[in-house]
Amino acid sequence: IHVRNTSHFQNPVSTMSAVDPANYSYQPSSSSLPTSLIRTITLGDEEIETNLILQLFSDRIFISITQLSGKVGSLLLCNVEESIVDNSTTYNVRTLLGTGVSSRGGGGGGEREISMREVFVRRLAERIVIHTRKMAGVSETTILGGAEDGTGPIAPLLVGVGLKPGCSNLSVESFNVLVDAAMELYQDGWKMSHAGGMVGMEGPD
């Protein structure tokens, strides 16, 4: 795996010059804008360029992994629930858009790709939950109990998976590389969002 570059973005509002009040309608506050990170890696022996995008909203986590020129591909949602009654954690993963079956003629290959995506999203959600528990100062297996409104220990996780055809045959090594890269991106974004953000735009040296 080769990491080619990482970028993060300054609040665009803070860099805007004075505007004509007559033509100005709305200026979002910095707190309403998500923390955003982009990273490019190469995957597998073929060194396929793979773009990872992270956006941390106040009520959502969005991560995109794409090899399709920026296209989102399939969009999956994972909601995590914890129960202090039986000390359990439940991961509910479902596909919102793009099953990947009809566009490739259906069959077992399409079903395997759906399963691979769901396993990927669950694995990533598990890692984020563990990170959240660590940041809360408890052990990896300690139940946080979620919020009073019934939400889980982490915000709903939206993941876009746009891999090239044949991703059902993704090797275990490449699968783990993708999970690790996405998790590293999340951790970097988490640090930024909890440190008040970064100023300017950072690219490769």
Side-chain angles (χ1 to χ4, degrees):
I1 177 175
H2 302 285
V3 178
R4 294 186 55 185
N5 59 67
T6 302
S7 299
H8 60 264
F9 302 95
Q10 180 183 12
N11 173 6
V13 174
S14 65
T15 61
M16 292 175 61
S17 58
V19 295
D20 181 1
N23 298 321
Y24 187 72
S25 59
Y26 174 70
Q27 178 176 350
S29 65
S30 59
S31 61
S32 68
L33 299 172
T35 298
S36 301
L37 281 171
I38 299 175
R39 185 162 298 163
T40 301
I41 65 173
T42 54
L43 187 67
D45 295 335
E46 299 84 2
E47 296 190 348
I48 301 174
E49 186 173 284
T50 306
N51 297 313
L52 294 89
I53 302 169
L54 168 74
Q55 289 190 301
L56 295 179
F57 296 87
S58 60
D59 61 348
R60 291 289 186 277
I61 303 167
F62 173 72
I63 298 175
S64 173
I65 298 95
T66 180
Q67 299 171 341
L68 306 176
S69 302
K71 296 179 181 178
V72 174
S74 296
L75 186 64
L76 296 93
L77 172 66
C78 180
N79 289 298
V80 183
E81 300 174 357
E82 288 183 336
S83 173
I84 59 176
V85 176
D86 58 1
N87 201 44
S88 65
T89 304
T90 304
Y91 298 84
N92 299 306
V93 180
R94 60 191 177 98
T95 300
L96 301 180
L97 293 171
T99 63
V101 176
S102 60
S103 63
R104 293 173 192 169
E111 295 297 332
R112 284 193 297 272
E113 290 191 17
I114 293 173
S115 297
M116 187 282 297
R117 296 183 191 118
E118 292 179 348
V119 170
F120 175 83
V121 172
R122 176 180 173 125
R123 184 73 57 82
L124 184 56
E126 290 173 343
R127 295 275 297 271
I128 293 175
V129 168
I130 290 174
H131 175 267
T132 301
R133 290 169 178 167
K134 286 182 177 179
M135 294 303 100
V138 299
S139 72
E140 295 182 2
T141 58
T142 299
I143 297 298
L144 297 176
E148 293 181 357
D149 61 0
T151 57
I154 66 172
L157 173 64
L158 277 169
V159 181
V161 183
L163 301 182
K164 290 187 174 181
C167 70
S168 60
N169 297 320
L170 201 66
S171 69
V172 173
E173 180 182 2
S174 293
F175 180 91
N176 290 332
V177 164
L178 278 179
V179 174
D180 290 343
M183 188 60 203
E184 182 179 344
L185 190 67
Y186 171 80
Q187 289 175 320
D188 290 346
W190 187 93
K191 290 176 183 177
M192 284 177 55
S193 64
H194 285 74
M198 304 289 286
V199 178
M201 180 172 178
E202 180 184 286
D205 294 334

